Amino acid sequence: MEQVQVLSGVIAIGLLLLFGVSYFRERRQLRNGVWLNGFFIAGGIWLLTSAWGSGNPWLLVPVLLVDGLLVLALLLGIYGVIIFLLYNAHQVWRREAHSLTNLLGLLLAIGLSGLVVWQALIFGDVLPPPLMLLFSFVPVLVGYAFLNFWNYLTISLVYQLHRPRYRQQAIVVLGAGLLNGTEISGLLASRIKRGVTFYQKQIEKGRPAPLLVFSGGQGPDEKLPEALAMQRYAVEQLQVPEKDTAVELQSTNTRQNMAFSARLIQQRFGPRYRAIFVSNGYHIFRAGLLARQVGFNAQGIGAHTAGYFLPNAFLREFAAIMVLHKRLHLRVAAVVVSLAIIQCLLALA
């Protein structure tokens, strides 16, 4: 027990140091979540072994209670998750557009329900052993997806804690779809207000006014570019001087938002610019990953998002991040499925 305690403590300290160095060198990395979650696991083991070795029940009881709750959550949590996702899907259906991306919570609830039924068939010995071995890849891939989601969620929440200094030369506000082709949605308004708030606070601190860059082209169902609608909203509704604004009118997705805005800022301020970008909190980590890919040296700050929308929004962001690294995930899936097939063939031989 003492050896486990020492080893887990050393590993926890090492992972914490690794996270610190990696995070402050480059915040926009998924691997930062791996180091941080590894620290939590190793640190939890150290706490448990330390409390156990002390023989003090007042130390041991809280640790066992927390561990017990975690085990209970793993055993029974899937039912709670399904119920929550169904309720949340109902809320999103009532308040948002009936698009596929807004139904991700419902689709996940259906998928998890199917997994529960599948597990019942396995534990009930309904399926023949070879078939059970063949489909053993299902829970493995579900577990793999869960670990990736937990890692993404952890580092996404940590990333939102970043507070840039009030010394920026430019603030990029990322666009979103316009209502009825011309109107600013509540979600987009929250992004604009967040950018303007930072702009105003920087001026209040006696620093030069940053340039507000509104980024967004014109979609097929829109009557004007998003950037122009955003600029008008900031100037007319929030009293921002038009001279302190600029528009980027060509982008049609987040990657282009970052690439085209970076080009505009470099042309005005040179290669050693200081800039941030604004989006909704759930979106800024993936936006940061894309900014890094296109060489845009900027960190993100998040705008407020209605609570009912967050579960579906985080699922959508996670799906998009999985697609960003699809080759890696497809290789992992191919290995897991291949091993399951091999197991099945050996059982039949």
Side-chain angles (χ1 to χ4, degrees):
M1 182 67 71
E2 184 177 348
Q3 291 178 340
V4 174
Q5 178 184 349
V6 173
L7 181 60
S8 61
V10 171
I11 292 174
I13 293 173
L15 288 170
L16 182 60
L17 291 173
L18 187 57
F19 165 74
V21 172
S22 179
Y23 183 76
F24 289 107
R25 178 177 296 174
E26 176 54 81
R27 293 178 173 86
R28 302 166 298 176
Q29 296 184 104
L30 282 167
R31 72 184 65 177
N32 293 332
V34 175
W35 312 139
L36 186 58
N37 281 312
F39 161 73
F40 288 146
I41 294 171
I45 295 172
W46 178 82
L47 283 174
L48 178 60
T49 53
S50 297
W52 187 273
S54 70
N56 188 337
W58 295 108
L59 292 177
L60 188 59
V61 170
V63 175
L64 290 177
L65 180 61
V66 172
D67 289 345
L69 290 175
L70 290 175
V71 172
L72 183 64
L74 289 174
L75 294 175
L76 302 178
I78 189 169
Y79 302 103
V81 170
I82 291 171
I83 294 171
F84 171 76
L85 288 173
L86 290 173
Y87 171 77
N88 183 252
H90 174 68
Q91 295 293 102
V92 174
W93 182 268
R94 286 178 54 232
R95 304 185 188 190
E96 300 291 333
H98 298 169
S99 63
L100 179 61
T101 55
N102 286 336
L103 294 176
L104 290 179
L106 176 61
L107 296 175
L108 179 58
I110 294 172
L112 290 176
S113 299
L115 180 63
V116 170
V117 173
W118 171 253
Q119 291 296 324
L121 292 175
I122 290 178
F123 288 114
D125 293 330
V126 176
L127 301 176
L131 197 58
M132 291 172 60
L133 289 173
L134 176 61
F135 288 100
S136 61
F137 70 87
V138 174
V140 176
L141 290 183
V142 169
Y144 176 75
F146 172 78
L147 289 176
N148 276 277
F149 178 75
W150 185 256
N151 182 64
Y152 150 71
L153 186 62
T154 300
I155 196 57
S156 177
L157 295 176
V158 170
Y159 186 75
Q160 293 183 45
L161 299 177
H162 175 62
R163 295 293 180 267
R165 296 178 181 179
Y166 291 102
R167 57 184 187 89
Q168 307 303 319
Q169 293 172 302
I171 303 170
V172 177
V173 183
L174 303 184
L178 301 176
L179 296 177
N180 303 317
T182 59
E183 301 172 15
I184 298 293
S185 66
L187 182 143
L188 184 52
S190 69
R191 297 184 183 183
I192 300 171
K193 291 175 181 176
R194 182 70 178 94
V196 171
T197 297
F198 192 99
Y199 160 90
Q200 292 170 339
K201 287 185 177 180
Q202 180 163 311
I203 294 175
E204 289 172 3
K205 291 182 177 293
R207 304 290 175 80
L211 180 70
L212 280 164
V213 179
F214 299 104
S215 178
Q218 183 173 346
D221 58 343
E222 295 173 333
K223 299 177 183 178
L224 77 164
E226 295 166 7
L228 281 180
M230 295 159 68
Q231 183 189 47
R232 291 177 185 175
Y233 183 90
V235 171
E236 297 173 5
Q237 301 295 325
L238 304 177
Q239 287 73 55
V240 175
E242 188 171 349
K243 66 180 179 62
D244 290 341
T245 68
V247 291
E248 180 284 298
L249 305 171
Q250 304 302 317
S251 56
T252 58
N253 55 48
T254 304
R255 185 187 297 274
Q256 291 180 1
N257 285 145
M258 296 304 185
F260 298 161
S261 297
R263 185 170 61 192
L264 185 155
I265 291 169
Q266 286 177 346
Q267 289 172 351
R268 181 166 302 202
F269 299 107
R272 299 180 66 83
Y273 58 83
R274 296 186 303 274
I276 60 172
F277 64 86
V278 181
S279 187
N280 291 85
Y282 64 83
H283 182 232
I284 59 171
F285 181 71
R286 180 170 69 90
L289 292 179
L290 293 171
R292 184 186 179 206
Q293 287 183 0
V294 300
F296 183 29
N297 185 24
Q299 304 292 344
I301 58 173
H304 173 74
T305 305
Y308 76 88
F309 190 72
L310 287 176
N312 196 81
F314 275 114
L315 287 173
R316 183 174 63 191
E317 291 299 301
F318 172 65
I321 285 179
M322 291 291 280
V323 171
L324 280 178
H325 304 89
K326 58 181 178 293
R327 291 184 179 179
L328 169 64
H329 301 309
L330 287 174
R331 290 192 189 104
V332 172
V335 170
V336 172
V337 172
S338 297
L339 290 175
I341 293 174
I342 292 171
Q343 286 186 96
C344 180
L345 293 176
L346 290 175
L348 292 172

